[in-house]
Amino acid sequence: MIDEQDAHTERPNLDGRKAIVTGGTTGIGRAIAVLLASYGVRVFVCGRTPEHLDDALKRIDEVGEGDGINVDLSLAEDVDRFFEAARAYLGEIDIAIINAAIPASALADSGESEARYQLDTDLTAYLICAQEAARCMSAGSDIIFIGSMSAVSKGPGSSIYVAAKSGIQGFVPSFRKELAEQDIKVGLIEPGFTGADFQYPEFPPEKQRELINAHKMLRAEDIAVATHFMLTQPRRTAVSLMRVETRLEHPE
């Protein structure tokens, strides 16, 4: 008989857990929701567009169990509405994937209302959703933020987005320490160049497929796998930051 104890560590089972996924109707959020549902997690998602919500829920129902709602998380009342609906469906929440974001442009090219809307969605809503999630969580829970490598590359043309993602990058380590004693783990995943509706119109579907096949663009499912890894580590560990990049140079 082979003793495999020294080759393995504890890996928590996700079956039966209950998760919210903001922005869970398209792209990375949708991929995460589908993958978690396939492991027995009951998921509740949100997005802004009814047809995207319908499509996501259809796919989630093929592999597991989930529901969702259309909201705009830049609005305080919609954040409240999302969490009320999530608690009504899930009961308790022990996984929160904070992911919903929109493309944001250069500050010099944006009007004040546009800049405020982008920051309210890409930064403020992240923090408020995390705050609301933490308030209704107990020991053994997880909060994962989906950030962006834009916080590292800081490229031109998207300074508002860079500001939001840099803010999240700075916020998460402090928030993780604030919740550590409660056994609520907090992690950040920063994806690189990833195929999604987010990349339209500059990178249409056929161009995305070409780049993915050339290993110069990530699939949303790659980030879902990273999320699964972060969620299935022993409670004593904190995989606090993961950066997922393409193996080869990309044209971003």
Side-chain angles (χ1 to χ4, degrees):
M1 182 69 111
I2 298 174
D3 183 358
E4 296 182 338
Q5 286 187 342
D6 64 344
H8 293 272
T9 189
E10 172 195 12
R11 296 192 66 198
N13 190 345
L14 296 182
D15 188 26
R17 296 190 66 181
K18 299 175 180 181
I20 59 167
V21 184
T22 70
T25 61
T26 61
I28 290 171
R30 180 185 187 275
I32 292 171
V34 170
L35 184 64
L36 292 184
S38 77
Y39 280 97
V41 179
R42 197 176 187 205
V43 299
F44 192 84
V45 303
C46 69
R48 296 181 299 168
T49 309
E51 54 266 33
H52 290 158
L53 176 62
D54 292 344
D55 173 75
L57 293 180
K58 180 180 177 181
R59 179 61 181 137
I60 288 167
D61 287 344
E62 290 174 352
V63 299
E65 185 179 357
D67 202 353
I69 189 174
N70 286 124
V71 293
D72 182 343
L73 295 178
S74 71
L75 305 173
E77 58 268 28
D78 273 22
V79 173
D80 292 341
R81 193 159 61 89
F82 170 62
F83 276 92
E84 287 171 7
R87 285 191 291 265
Y89 178 71
L90 298 174
E92 61 184 28
I93 298 167
D94 58 22
I95 296 173
I97 309 299
I98 312 299
N99 163 78
I102 60 171
S105 52
L107 183 63
D109 299 332
S110 303
E112 180 180 345
S113 61
E114 182 183 8
R116 286 185 182 277
Y117 180 72
Q118 291 170 351
L119 285 170
D120 283 345
T121 303
D122 291 351
L123 179 58
T124 304
Y126 266 63
L127 274 59
I128 299 303
C129 286
Q131 180 186 53
E132 289 295 322
R135 283 174 174 168
C136 59
M137 285 178 161
S138 56
S141 298
D142 296 85
I143 300 174
I144 296 179
F145 294 82
I146 307 300
S148 172
M149 284 295 294
S150 295
V152 178
S153 60
K154 296 178 172 62
S158 57
S159 51
I160 298 174
Y161 192 71
V162 169
K165 297 307 181 183
S166 297
I168 292 162
Q169 187 184 80
F171 163 75
V172 168
S174 178
F175 191 52
R176 177 174 70 83
K177 295 171 186 175
E178 290 172 357
L179 297 184
E181 292 296 330
Q182 300 176 43
D183 187 14
I184 299 175
K185 296 207 291 187
V186 179
L188 170 63
I189 298 175
E190 293 184 330
F193 188 43
T194 305
D197 296 358
F198 203 96
Q199 302 291 354
Y200 299 160
E202 186 176 359
F203 296 95
E206 61 274 12
K207 182 62 176 177
Q208 290 191 27
R209 284 191 290 270
E210 177 185 327
L211 290 169
I212 289 169
N213 290 335
H215 297 183
K216 295 181 179 180
M217 175 180 266
L218 301 170
R219 295 181 65 204
E221 289 77 8
D222 300 332
I223 313 306
V225 169
T227 303
H228 178 266
F229 175 83
M230 191 175 276
L231 288 170
T232 53
Q233 299 309 299
R235 294 308 300 179
R236 64 180 170 271
T237 70
V239 180
S240 55
L241 173 64
M242 293 177 67
R243 288 175 177 157
V244 185
E245 305 176 65
T246 55
R247 180 172 57 82
L248 299 176
E249 292 277 333
H250 55 75
E252 188 182 23

